[in-house]
């Protein structure tokens, strides 16, 4: 720019082009171009080169390759420029260079910017769902949990639920609870291609898992799956996962269990009804109230979400479910029982009667015992009391110390164990009462909008 300025001034002052070029050490062609005003230094012309090998047929072949990638929707399995070049050579007898093909591929991709079609849904028409992860403290243990997020497409009313695992039981249970919270069922549910829902295929070609097929049939909704790597197809719920982490789960909640966490999540979802989305004509709550009348009626029979198996009780009076073993009363050893695995509990049935209920274990190859199941056996085999796994797993250290004082006295040790098992339910009930009172106070804070000013800590 400095040279341009000097050339123009010297030329306008009557100096010859030859003298300007000689004294400034610049090409006479450049000086002539600037003196005559035919060019400026801040604009450069890009030379246009025409290729003799990239004819209409070759360009069409490249476009077809890119179009097939878009149709398949496979992020890690699509044409590279090198692969297109190899195909052109082998299938079309292409004689040009690889760099020529690379340049054309780059040009064609740049000419196809990503554009989205704005969508509008009718009341009760659709719901979008998605999974995400978050960190909370469950009984003072830092735990990574999974959150199931759903949102009605018309009113944008959210429902968020927490689970330990993203398994089929949790997936189906989340739908049942979500429909109950909404008080009805939308016509369509939009989800990605997660294995809990899709057996094989993807998008329009997806085949539903057996459980999801039964669920959609029972509640009468159409299951729609997104194309792979196309999160914008369920954009209303994509951002909900992050919103929940930033607005509900910060500071990190400290709760006793998943049930308590879910009450917290649902309370915050209720307060979201006061929110007004800019593009909507009314608040979320007002639009949700009008949308509820368009939701389909819930079926009279709740869908069974449990994973059910039949198994035989082994010699240790336990039955295997998934990767863990759960105890039953010793009198059922050797019998066939039915096991139902729910998201947070495992129930065991014999001839239609529930004989045991356990909090579900999410470890691997663990054995979970209820002490009362083994009391009749321990009474007969008193020498095994101090080394019995059901005793060590359930009895606190102070009670173990008391048992050791009566080592050898089976009658006295059994008396201690029976007193402990009789007192345990009363202690649990007292804890539940405290928890309910504190949670009620917490819910009032949520409704009052003071949730951001307190720590998420529930005593009990």
């Amino acid at each position: 720019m400095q040279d341009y300025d000097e050339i123009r001034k010297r030329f306008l002052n009557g100096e010859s082009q030859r003298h300007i070029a000689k004294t400034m050490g610049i090409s006479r062609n450049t000086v002539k171009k600037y003196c005559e005003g035919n060019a400026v230094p801040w604009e450069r012309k890009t030379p246009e080169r025409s290729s003799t090998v990239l004819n209409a047929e070759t360009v069409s072949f490249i476009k077809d390759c890119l179009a097939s990638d878009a149709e398949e929707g496979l992020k890690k399995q699509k044409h590279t420029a090198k692969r297109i070049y190899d195909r052109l050579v082998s299938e079309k007898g292409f004689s040009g260079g690889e760099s020529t093909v690379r340049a054309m591929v780059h040009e064609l991709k740049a000419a196809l910017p990503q554009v989205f079609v704005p969508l509008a849904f009718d009341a009760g028409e659709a719901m979008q769902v998605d999974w995400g992860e978050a960190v909370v403290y469950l009984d003072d243990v830092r735990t990574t949990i999974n959150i199931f997020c759903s949102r009605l497409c018309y009113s944008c009313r959210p429902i968020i639920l927490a689970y330990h695992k993203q398994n089929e039981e949790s997936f189906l249970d989340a739908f049942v609870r979500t429909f109950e919270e909404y008080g009805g069922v939308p016509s369509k549910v939009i989800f990605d291609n997660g294995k809990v829902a899709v057996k094989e295929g993807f998008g329009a070609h997806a085949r539903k898992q057996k459980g999801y097929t039964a669920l959609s049939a029972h509640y009468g909704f159409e299951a729609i799956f997104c194309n792979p790597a196309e999160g914008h197809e369920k954009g209303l719920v994509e951002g909900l996962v992050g919103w929940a982490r930033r607005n509900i789960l910060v500071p990190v909640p400290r709760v006793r269990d998943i049930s308590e966490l879910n009450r917290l999540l649902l309370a915050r979802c209720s307060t979201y009804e006061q929110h007004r989305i800019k593009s909507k004509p009314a608040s979320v709550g007002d639009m949700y109230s009008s949308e509820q009348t368009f939701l389909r009626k819930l079926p009279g029979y709740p869908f069974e979400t449990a994973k059910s198996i039949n198994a035989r009780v082994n010699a240790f009076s336990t039955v295997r479910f998934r990767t863990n073993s759960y105890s039953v009363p010793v009198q059922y050893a050797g019998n066939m029982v039915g096991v139902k695995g729910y998201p947070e509990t495992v129930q065991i049935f014999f001839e239609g009667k529930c004989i045991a209920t356990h909090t579900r274990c999410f470890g691997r190859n663990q054995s979970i015992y209820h002490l009362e199941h083994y009391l009749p056996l321990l009474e007969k085999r008193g020498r095994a009391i101090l080394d019995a796994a059901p005793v060590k797993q359930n009895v606190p250290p102070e009670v173990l110390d008391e048992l050791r004082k009566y080592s050898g006295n089976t009658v006295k040790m059994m008396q201690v164990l029976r007193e402990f098992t009789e007192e345990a339910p009363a202690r649990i009930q007292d804890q539940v009462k405290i928890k309910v009172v504190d949670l009620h106070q917490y819910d009032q804070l949520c409704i009052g909008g003071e949730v951001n000013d307190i720590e998420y800590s529930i005593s009990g």
Side-chain angles (χ1 to χ4, degrees), residues 302-410:
F303 186 81
E304 177 59 84
T305 62
K307 196 77 173 178
S308 301
I309 64 167
N310 292 320
R312 188 175 298 278
V313 182
N314 63 20
F316 295 104
S317 197
T318 61
V319 62
R320 191 82 168 174
F321 178 74
R322 291 291 174 90
T323 61
N324 299 300
S325 298
Y326 299 88
S327 72
V328 300
V330 293
Q331 63 264 34
Y332 297 102
N335 288 293
M336 290 295 296
V337 295
V339 184
K340 287 187 175 182
Y342 293 94
E344 304 299 325
T345 61
V346 173
Q347 294 182 349
I348 305 169
F349 294 82
F350 178 72
E351 295 182 351
K353 175 186 176 183
C354 183
I355 58 174
T357 300
H358 291 267
T359 298
R360 186 163 177 174
C361 175
F362 295 98
R364 295 182 65 86
N365 301 317
Q366 303 293 313
S367 294
I368 298 88
Y369 306 107
H370 281 181
L371 177 58
E372 61 271 20
H373 292 167
Y374 294 90
L375 291 181
L377 185 62
L378 290 173
E379 194 164 13
K380 296 179 181 178
R381 301 179 181 178
R383 294 176 60 184
I385 290 177
L386 293 176
D387 297 317
V391 174
K392 290 184 175 181
Q393 187 179 99
N394 291 279
V395 171
E398 59 271 18
V399 178
L400 278 175
D401 291 339
E402 187 176 357
L403 288 172
R404 293 188 184 101
K405 292 179 183 178
Y406 302 110
S407 177
N409 188 340
T410 303

Side-chain angles (χ1 to χ4, degrees), residues 205-439:
H205 309 290
R207 288 183 58 195
K208 291 180 289 186
Q209 293 281 9
K210 183 179 179 181
Y212 195 39
T213 300
L215 178 82
S216 59
H218 187 65
Y219 286 94
F221 64 85
E222 180 186 0
I224 297 176
F225 298 99
C226 301
N227 290 310
E230 300 291 345
H232 60 89
E233 293 183 3
K234 53 180 177 65
L236 287 175
V237 78
E238 282 285 324
L240 185 60
V241 176
W243 179 87
R245 280 195 288 253
R246 294 186 299 270
N247 292 276
I248 302 180
L249 303 177
V250 174
V252 180
R254 293 180 178 271
V255 293
R256 187 172 187 84
D257 52 28
I258 285 287
S259 297
E260 191 172 299
L261 177 61
N262 278 327
R263 288 192 288 272
L264 184 156
L265 292 171
L266 292 175
R268 285 306 308 274
C269 288
S270 296
T271 62
Y272 186 78
E273 290 187 15
Q274 302 168 12
H275 181 66
R276 171 75 178 270
I277 298 173
K278 291 182 179 179
S279 59
K280 300 290 185 179
S283 69
V284 172
D286 290 340
M287 295 190 68
Y288 172 57
S289 296
S290 62
E291 184 171 22
Q292 281 184 303
T293 60
F294 293 92
L295 295 175
R296 297 178 177 179
K297 186 179 178 181
L298 290 170
Y301 177 79
F303 186 81
E304 177 59 84
T305 62
K307 196 77 173 178
S308 301
I309 64 167
N310 292 320
R312 188 175 298 278
V313 182
N314 63 20
F316 295 104
S317 197
T318 61
V319 62
R320 191 82 168 174
F321 178 74
R322 291 291 174 90
T323 61
N324 299 300
S325 298
Y326 299 88
S327 72
V328 300
V330 293
Q331 63 264 34
Y332 297 102
N335 288 293
M336 290 295 296
V337 295
V339 184
K340 287 187 175 182
Y342 293 94
E344 304 299 325
T345 61
V346 173
Q347 294 182 349
I348 305 169
F349 294 82
F350 178 72
E351 295 182 351
K353 175 186 176 183
C354 183
I355 58 174
T357 300
H358 291 267
T359 298
R360 186 163 177 174
C361 175
F362 295 98
R364 295 182 65 86
N365 301 317
Q366 303 293 313
S367 294
I368 298 88
Y369 306 107
H370 281 181
L371 177 58
E372 61 271 20
H373 292 167
Y374 294 90
L375 291 181
L377 185 62
L378 290 173
E379 194 164 13
K380 296 179 181 178
R381 301 179 181 178
R383 294 176 60 184
I385 290 177
L386 293 176
D387 297 317
V391 174
K392 290 184 175 181
Q393 187 179 99
N394 291 279
V395 171
E398 59 271 18
V399 178
L400 278 175
D401 291 339
E402 187 176 357
L403 288 172
R404 293 188 184 101
K405 292 179 183 178
Y406 302 110
S407 177
N409 188 340
T410 303
V411 174
K412 194 63 178 176
M413 285 195 292
M414 287 304 302
Q415 182 181 347
V416 172
L417 289 178
R418 291 190 183 280
E419 289 176 355
F420 171 77
T421 54
E422 290 171 1
E423 292 173 0
R427 287 196 301 272
I428 294 173
Q429 185 63 32
D430 289 341
Q431 291 175 346
V432 170
K433 288 178 181 177
I434 294 172
K435 181 174 69 174
V436 168
V437 170
D438 289 348
L439 187 62

Side-chain angles (χ1 to χ4, degrees), residues 73-316:
L74 300 176
K75 186 177 181 181
K76 298 181 179 180
Q77 198 172 331
K78 55 186 180 180
H79 284 88
T80 62
K82 175 67 166 60
R83 178 57 182 149
I84 294 176
Y85 169 73
D86 291 340
R87 287 190 62 190
L88 279 169
V89 172
S90 61
E91 299 176 28
K92 301 294 182 181
F94 183 71
S95 59
E98 184 179 331
S99 61
T100 304
V101 175
R102 287 185 179 277
M104 179 53 65
V105 170
H106 179 75
E107 181 181 335
L108 291 174
K109 286 185 175 179
L112 296 172
Q114 195 173 28
V115 181
F116 305 110
V117 177
L119 302 177
F121 295 91
D122 295 331
E125 180 183 359
M127 177 180 79
Q128 297 178 4
V129 300
D130 197 14
W131 281 101
E133 289 187 345
V135 174
V136 299
Y137 287 94
L138 296 180
D139 205 13
D140 292 328
V141 178
R142 185 183 175 95
T143 307
T144 299
I145 52 97
N146 297 275
I147 51 176
F148 177 90
C149 298
S150 63
R151 204 173 194 182
L152 292 172
C153 295
Y154 174 76
S155 65
C156 294
R157 173 61 159 87
I159 294 291
I160 303 171
L161 297 166
Y163 294 90
H164 276 97
K165 296 290 183 181
Q166 286 189 33
N167 52 25
E168 186 180 34
E169 304 93 280
S170 300
F171 182 66
L172 300 179
D173 181 79
F175 271 98
V176 173
R177 295 180 63 181
T178 296
F179 293 150
E180 290 175 352
E181 288 290 331
Y182 285 139
V185 182
S187 302
K188 298 183 290 189
V189 172
I190 304 170
F191 186 49
D192 56 26
N193 299 276
K195 292 183 178 179
V196 290
V198 177
K199 185 176 183 179
E200 59 184 8
F202 57 84
H205 309 290
R207 288 183 58 195
K208 291 180 289 186
Q209 293 281 9
K210 183 179 179 181
Y212 195 39
T213 300
L215 178 82
S216 59
H218 187 65
Y219 286 94
F221 64 85
E222 180 186 0
I224 297 176
F225 298 99
C226 301
N227 290 310
E230 300 291 345
H232 60 89
E233 293 183 3
K234 53 180 177 65
L236 287 175
V237 78
E238 282 285 324
L240 185 60
V241 176
W243 179 87
R245 280 195 288 253
R246 294 186 299 270
N247 292 276
I248 302 180
L249 303 177
V250 174
V252 180
R254 293 180 178 271
V255 293
R256 187 172 187 84
D257 52 28
I258 285 287
S259 297
E260 191 172 299
L261 177 61
N262 278 327
R263 288 192 288 272
L264 184 156
L265 292 171
L266 292 175
R268 285 306 308 274
C269 288
S270 296
T271 62
Y272 186 78
E273 290 187 15
Q274 302 168 12
H275 181 66
R276 171 75 178 270
I277 298 173
K278 291 182 179 179
S279 59
K280 300 290 185 179
S283 69
V284 172
D286 290 340
M287 295 190 68
Y288 172 57
S289 296
S290 62
E291 184 171 22
Q292 281 184 303
T293 60
F294 293 92
L295 295 175
R296 297 178 177 179
K297 186 179 178 181
L298 290 170
Y301 177 79
F303 186 81
E304 177 59 84
T305 62
K307 196 77 173 178
S308 301
I309 64 167
N310 292 320
R312 188 175 298 278
V313 182
N314 63 20
F316 295 104

